[in-house]
Amino acid sequence: MNVRREIAVAGLVQGVGFRPHVFRLAHAHGLTGTITNTSGGVVIEVQGPVESADAFLAQLQDEPPPLARLTSVMVRDLPCVPEDDFRILASRAAPAARTVVPPDVALCDDCLRELLDPADRRYRYPFINCTNCGPRFTIVRDVPYDRPQTSMAVFPMCPACQAEYDDPMNRRFHAQPNACPACGPRLTLLDGQGRPLIVDDPIRDTVRRLAAGEIVAIRGLGGFHLAVDARQPAAVQRLRDRKHRIEKPFAVMVPSLAAAERIVEVDAAARALLTGWERPIVILPRRDGGAIPEVVAPGNRFLGVFVPYTPLHHLLFADGAFEALVMTSGNLSEEPIAIGNDEAVGRLAGIADAFLVHDREILRRCDDSVVTVAAGEPRVLRRARGFVPVPVQLREPVLPVLAAGAELKNTICLAAGDRAFLSQHVGDMENVESHRFFDEVVEHFQRILDVRPGTVACDLHPDYFPTRWAQALGDVRLIGVQHHHAHLAACMAENHLDGTVIGIVLDGTGYGTDGRIWGGEVLVGGYASFDRAGHLAYVPMPGGEAAVREPWRMAVSYLAPQLDAEACVAALRSFGAGGPVEASQVRFVRQMIDRGVNAPLTSSAGRLFDAVAALAGLRSRVTHEAQAAVALEMAARDSRDTVAYPLDLAWRSGGPWLVEPRPLVRAILDDRAAGVDAAGIGRRFHNGLALVLARLAGLIRQETGLGRVCLSGGCFQNRTLLESLLAELRAARFEVFAHREIPCGDGGLSLGQALVAAATVTAGGTARS
């Protein structure tokens, strides 16, 4: 008996070779019918013997194309019609734009072979791609994902490319960016002022310039990179000076996995990350004797490494001129990445000696993603190219919500139904360029998802740009979400949890419900509400933001209850604290603390890390975020000490538990007097913090019966802390959840904001504020 079935498929099904895959599958099962892209996904109709139709459906779900992700498959019977073949129809609109725009995909092995084959018509063509690889998200204007909706619309295909595009058996069948040297985008080399240079081969001339120590801005997939030969310390330092990036580590691109293994330690998880189609930057331990100069990542035992993901990258390495290239975002520090040729020349002319540009428009800024491996699992630190806009699948459907995200490491989130879409990394909201980028991202996601929510979530901090932006919208339901509650909810959402959990949330700064600066929090709650079950004891933060840039100030704050002003001066002088601190500065800061002038109270774990780093003699001042904490972790990794510094737990009637670091500070003073080095202090601090947090979780379990713990907040980028606390909690028989696919820091905050706001609307209340 013959049947005809309509199969509506939603998910990541456009731009991933889904239609040619279905075409071949239908032919293999002897079925007729049609397939078309819609703004809601893909709609298939198949007709033939019932056994063949059943087998087709089973294989479609069990064996989709490698890049596809099916989130919904809906089937209904239709009347049979006369037909004798299976056809791919033109795309059409659907009632709801629910399809997933595909992410950008690294160059596949087939295209790489053609790229390097002198006999191939695309030999050394830097824009080669096929259905299995190439640009997607960064060239899309709208859905459905078809060539007219991309920046490739201005490049009509030549007859040879059109024939490939029209052939269902060709791997370039309906590859929207398909092109060749005869009809596609082209490269141009510009000098440092943006004037075209007449050269035979722009790529080989770029290689020559890089080998000579020049800095070249290279237009890539989601924006410009600033590139320099990583083996030339003077050139790397020149890039630092021009970019105003004093000590923050650079990432390096290497030609292959084998090259990566020569400079960093690569385990199975890292190998999969480096060679997967997302191709993120992977933060890995440096290998002893590796050839990368210290100036690339000063004072850091880890190095960010990635391998080529575009044809152009492969061609830069093809002649063997480089063992590694620094490839850093094409911007001044804290600005968005440049994407346009004129924009790059205008913004980067003082940095780059030359510009390698092309004429394929980049429609969406998208930085490289950053991933690390901790506790044996990959963990995303910055979610952008290769991962965006793939959604987070939610446990339960939610009403549409737009979340504006955090002030630092901003992303936005648009949640609707059973999916939450986090944007690419937007960055720190510190300048007008970042504000414009934020607006672009909000508008783009609402357009491609065809959702404009009536509910908007934002942080409680009144001075943050995303909060002020949300407050200015009008005609929306605005829900303020406490920062650390959002972190907790983000971890719950990623791990598909419901109900109530214990949340340990550690970071640098978050506006508390009491108006103070939180950051060392132990919460009990779920999506709709939370209680503050415990926190680090408040200490003054002398000078406010100045204390973030100068960790010695936090050291004084923690020393103040135990030492008078002159003893603080002596302590910091004797410790060195990573650089000279004048006695007059210490006395002045001590007065600020004693008088409560410009010294807001904080429970921040980040500031505790800063204080300990200063007391250990590692950093008195920093040039970028978390530098002192990273120095402390790096030191701790050199020690296997099992001693744990003591921290007290104090219960206040009617209030949360207090984690009191005074005994820890006293122990550090004693250890320094006894000659314990920074490595020992760092390890004992990590041990002690993990132990006291696990103890506190145990006390909360006794009170509440809760056995699930979520770990979130930027401090958990610290592998030593994460692994130590996981071990302590698991030894105490807790079920522990941490981030893997979503950043634990503020880059994942918007997901939690969205889920808290959705739960608040469902409950008919307002978020706690």
Side-chain angles (χ1 to χ4, degrees):
M1 181 181 73
N2 280 0
V3 295
R4 185 175 188 87
R5 290 177 180 161
E6 179 189 80
I7 306 168
V9 185
L12 183 52
V13 291
Q14 295 185 16
V16 293
F18 195 77
R19 287 181 294 175
H21 175 80
V22 170
F23 181 92
R24 291 188 287 269
L25 195 60
H27 275 268
H29 288 280
L31 299 170
T32 62
T34 62
I35 181 172
T36 183
N37 276 350
T38 74
S39 53
V42 166
V43 175
I44 306 164
E45 292 186 15
V46 291
Q47 182 170 303
V50 63
E51 297 83 2
S52 298
D54 289 344
F56 168 90
L57 181 60
Q59 191 171 355
L60 177 71
Q61 295 176 281
D62 294 342
E63 302 174 24
L67 301 179
R69 294 189 185 182
L70 281 57
T71 60
S72 171
V73 178
M74 301 179 66
V75 182
R76 69 183 181 115
D77 291 328
L78 298 174
C80 291
V81 300
E83 64 182 359
D84 56 11
D85 62 0
F86 190 92
R87 296 172 296 140
I88 297 176
L89 303 180
S91 299
R92 59 183 172 84
R98 297 183 297 109
T99 192
V100 179
V101 173
D104 300 310
V105 180
L107 189 72
C108 70
D109 290 341
D110 289 331
C111 284
L112 179 58
R113 280 191 291 270
E114 294 173 350
L115 177 72
L116 302 178
D117 180 1
D120 193 275
R121 74 185 187 94
R122 292 186 175 88
Y123 174 58
R124 291 184 63 85
Y125 182 56
F127 303 95
I128 187 171
N129 67 87
C130 71
T131 304
N132 300 317
C133 66
R136 303 287 195 271
F137 173 70
T138 52
I139 63 169
V140 169
R141 282 193 172 88
D142 211 339
V143 293
Y145 174 68
D146 285 318
R147 195 177 183 103
Q149 304 275 35
T150 74
S151 58
M152 288 298 295
V154 298
F155 297 99
M157 283 181 279
C158 66
C161 286
Q162 189 69 53
E164 294 169 332
Y165 184 89
D166 293 336
D167 180 2
M169 305 310 291
N170 191 291
R171 81 171 198 281
R172 293 190 169 90
F173 176 66
H174 281 232
Q176 306 308 336
N178 190 31
C180 74
C183 64
R186 298 183 180 184
L187 293 173
T188 302
L189 188 64
L190 311 177
D191 68 13
Q193 285 71 50
R195 296 172 296 213
L197 296 169
I198 307 302
V199 296
D200 292 333
D201 186 332
I203 296 174
R204 286 201 164 106
D205 202 77
T206 296
V207 169
R208 179 187 63 77
R209 289 170 177 273
L210 290 168
E214 291 191 14
I215 300 166
V216 182
I218 300 174
R219 195 182 196 191
L221 204 57
F224 277 80
H225 281 118
L226 288 165
V228 70
D229 185 353
R231 294 292 304 279
Q232 298 189 43
V236 177
Q237 186 58 53
R238 189 160 55 252
L239 176 58
R240 286 199 175 281
D241 294 341
R242 294 181 183 179
K243 199 174 190 290
H244 308 305
R245 185 165 173 152
I246 301 171
E247 295 175 294
K248 191 174 182 180
F250 285 131
V252 297
M253 180 176 284
V254 295
S256 64
L257 176 63
E261 290 174 329
R262 289 193 290 271
I263 61 174
V264 291
E265 297 174 11
V266 181
D267 61 12
R271 190 172 297 111
L273 289 168
L274 287 167
T275 59
W277 56 265
E278 298 93 346
R279 299 286 168 91
I281 296 168
V282 186
I283 310 297
L284 295 170
R286 284 183 188 247
R287 188 175 289 280
D288 291 341
I292 302 302
E294 176 70 9
V295 68
V296 172
N300 202 310
R301 290 166 176 76
F302 286 75
L303 187 65
V305 177
F306 57 145
V307 298
Y309 58 84
T310 71
L312 177 55
H313 295 152
H314 284 281
L315 293 173
L316 291 172
F317 288 102
D319 296 330
F322 310 108
E323 292 183 39
L325 290 172
V326 167
M327 296 281 270
T328 188
S329 298
N331 57 7
L332 284 169
S333 291
E334 312 312 332
E335 289 184 356
I337 189 171
I339 58 173
N341 294 339
D342 291 342
E343 175 194 2
V345 170
R347 290 172 54 193
L348 306 178
I351 303 175
D353 299 307
F355 295 82
L356 182 61
V357 303
H358 60 72
D359 55 356
R360 184 181 68 200
E361 188 179 3
I362 300 171
L363 297 177
R364 306 297 153 213
R365 301 174 203 272
C366 201
D367 269 295
D368 294 314
S369 294
V370 181
V371 182
T372 191
V373 178
E377 294 189 81
R379 300 184 190 275
V380 174
L381 303 181
R382 183 170 77 191
R383 192 173 183 268
R385 177 190 50 77
F387 294 94
V388 173
V390 177
V392 177
Q393 290 298 130
L394 302 178
R395 179 187 174 93
E396 301 288 345
V398 299
L399 297 171
V401 177
L402 171 64
E407 179 78 356
L408 303 179
K409 298 180 179 61
N410 179 271
T411 63
I412 64 110
C413 178
L414 206 161
D418 61 355
R419 297 181 296 180
F421 293 84
L422 272 78
S423 74
Q424 69 270 42
H425 172 80
V426 178
D428 296 351
M429 298 286 98
E430 295 182 347
N431 50 66
V432 173
E433 290 82 4
S434 296
H435 299 172
R436 290 178 184 144
F437 184 21
F438 177 93
D439 288 336
E440 290 172 13
V441 168
V442 171
E443 176 56 31
H444 181 236
F445 270 75
Q446 290 187 129
R447 184 172 68 254
I448 64 172
L449 298 173
D450 194 24
V451 176
R452 295 187 180 270
T455 300
V456 176
C458 64
D459 195 88
L460 293 181
H461 198 299
D463 295 330
Y464 284 175
F465 169 78
T467 302
R468 289 185 280 112
W469 175 88
Q471 290 171 339
L473 288 177
D475 199 30
V476 296
R477 180 172 185 174
L478 185 63
I479 297 179
V481 181
Q482 199 280 323
H483 188 92
H484 302 92
H485 186 197
H487 271 305
L488 170 61
C491 189
M492 291 181 65
E494 180 185 342
N495 288 283
H496 303 125
L497 302 179
D498 63 357
T500 302
V501 301
I502 300 169
I504 299 176
V505 185
L506 308 179
D507 63 4
T509 300
Y511 193 79
T513 56
D514 58 2
R516 292 174 174 172
I517 302 168
W518 291 9
E521 310 306 313
V522 181
L523 310 179
V524 170
Y527 299 115
S529 64
F530 76 97
D531 289 308
R532 195 183 191 195
H535 61 87
L536 284 171
Y538 284 121
V539 293
M541 193 171 158
E545 285 298 309
V548 179
R549 299 186 296 271
E550 299 182 341
W552 67 266
R553 291 174 179 255
M554 291 308 304
V556 175
S557 189
Y558 275 99
L559 289 171
Q562 304 185 55
L563 301 178
D564 62 24
E566 294 310 310
C568 287
V569 170
L572 286 172
R573 274 185 169 176
S574 66
F575 294 170
V581 180
E582 297 294 331
S584 60
Q585 293 177 298
V586 177
R587 294 187 186 102
F588 178 70
V589 164
R590 180 58 190 264
Q591 287 179 349
M592 295 171 67
I593 294 169
D594 292 344
R595 296 174 182 176
V597 176
N598 193 21
L601 295 178
T602 183
S603 61
S604 167
R607 302 293 75 79
L608 176 60
F609 272 88
D610 288 349
V612 175
L615 291 172
L618 292 168
R619 298 292 312 190
S620 64
R621 296 173 178 85
V622 298
T623 62
H624 60 269
E625 183 191 16
Q627 188 178 15
V630 169
L632 189 63
E633 183 194 0
M634 294 302 103
R637 296 184 73 86
D638 286 340
S639 171
R640 297 186 180 276
D641 201 326
T642 58
V643 173
Y645 282 144
L647 291 91
D648 284 343
L649 283 174
W651 168 254
R652 295 187 306 169
S653 178
W657 286 92
L658 290 183
V659 181
E660 176 54 70
R662 290 189 191 189
L664 174 149
V665 174
R666 184 72 260 168
I668 292 175
L669 294 173
D670 292 343
D671 275 355
R672 287 308 304 257
V676 177
D677 63 9
I681 290 173
R683 174 59 70 174
R684 292 177 179 187
F685 168 70
H686 283 82
N687 293 345
L689 186 58
L691 188 62
V692 75
L693 291 171
R695 283 176 52 213
L696 179 51
L699 292 169
I700 295 170
R701 179 170 56 187
Q702 291 177 16
E703 298 168 3
T704 64
L706 298 173
R708 298 180 298 173
V709 178
C710 287
L711 308 180
S712 192
C715 288
F716 286 110
Q717 294 183 37
N718 180 322
R719 299 162 193 80
T720 302
L721 175 64
L722 176 64
E723 291 166 358
S724 298
L725 185 52
L726 282 171
E728 293 290 347
L729 290 168
R730 287 169 177 166
R733 300 187 180 279
F734 280 101
E735 191 176 6
V736 191
F737 302 89
H739 293 276
R740 298 177 305 279
E741 298 178 5
I742 301 301
C744 63
D746 284 0
L749 196 78
S750 60
L751 174 63
Q753 289 177 341
L755 270 290
V756 170
T760 301
V761 171
T762 300
T766 58
R768 240 178 108 168
S769 60

